[in-house]
Amino acid sequence: MKTSTWATFTGWCRQRPFVGGILVVLAGVEMFFSGQLDVGSIHVQVGVEGMQAMIIPVIVVLVGILAIGMPVHRIFYGVIALVFSIYSLVGVNLGGFFVGMVLSAVGGILVVAWMPKPTRAGTAVELFASPVDEPAIQLGELVEERSRPRRAL
């Protein structure tokens, strides 16, 4: 039975923090373009400070792509996105005129909050409430073997 491309794509998206990662990437793109703006005859960023307006958005875009690509490290990437969203207030024209900062903060929160579905069937309550199988060897059997005297050869 052949599955459609859309079904395959949506299945892939459900296995990772896709929406949060896309929001972080969009925030980085918006920050990048807001850092390159000229308002009339006033240039918004110049000199060494202008380098932050290029580095911070690139890092934010990279963090968003990595969060989508490697969902195992989602908490680290989400925290980095949150840190750079707050720092963008100072480094990138008030965080891309607040739009990029808000997108990055919301995306970072979504990346951190995303959880993969359990691998076994059932809910989390059922998984933790299920009985644990008894081990094959009991503790008393181990003590009996250790207490036997060893024979000399």
Side-chain angles (χ1 to χ4, degrees):
M1 179 174 239
K2 185 177 179 183
T3 60
S4 69
T5 306
W6 183 253
T8 305
F9 177 71
T10 56
W12 179 80
C13 289
R14 287 186 186 134
Q15 298 173 354
R16 52 202 71 242
F18 188 74
V19 174
I22 291 295
L23 286 178
V24 172
V25 169
L26 288 175
V29 170
E30 195 277 332
M31 283 183 207
F32 181 77
F33 286 123
S34 72
Q36 308 301 321
L37 288 178
D38 290 332
V39 180
S41 62
I42 300 172
H43 188 68
V44 181
Q45 293 282 356
V46 279
V48 176
E49 296 86 16
M51 188 59 96
Q52 290 181 1
M54 294 190 64
I55 291 174
I56 292 173
V58 168
I59 291 173
V60 170
V61 168
L62 184 65
V63 164
I65 292 171
L66 288 173
I68 294 171
M70 292 188 286
V72 175
H73 305 294
R74 69 189 180 280
I75 295 174
F76 174 73
Y77 295 135
V79 169
I80 296 296
L82 288 168
V83 167
F84 275 102
S85 72
I86 292 170
Y87 184 69
S88 70
L89 280 172
V90 177
V92 187
N93 297 336
L94 294 175
F97 303 113
F98 295 109
V99 175
M101 184 204 68
V102 169
L103 281 174
S104 180
V106 170
I109 290 169
L110 287 175
V111 167
V112 170
W114 179 83
M115 292 281 295
K117 290 187 178 182
T119 55
R120 294 196 295 175
T123 63
V125 175
E126 291 173 356
L127 290 176
F128 288 114
S130 63
V132 178
D133 295 333
E134 292 295 323
I137 297 177
Q138 298 297 324
L139 183 61
E141 295 174 7
L142 291 175
V143 173
E144 290 174 11
E145 285 186 22
R146 294 187 102 198
S147 62
R148 291 184 196 160
R150 295 186 181 217
R151 295 186 324 183
L153 295 173

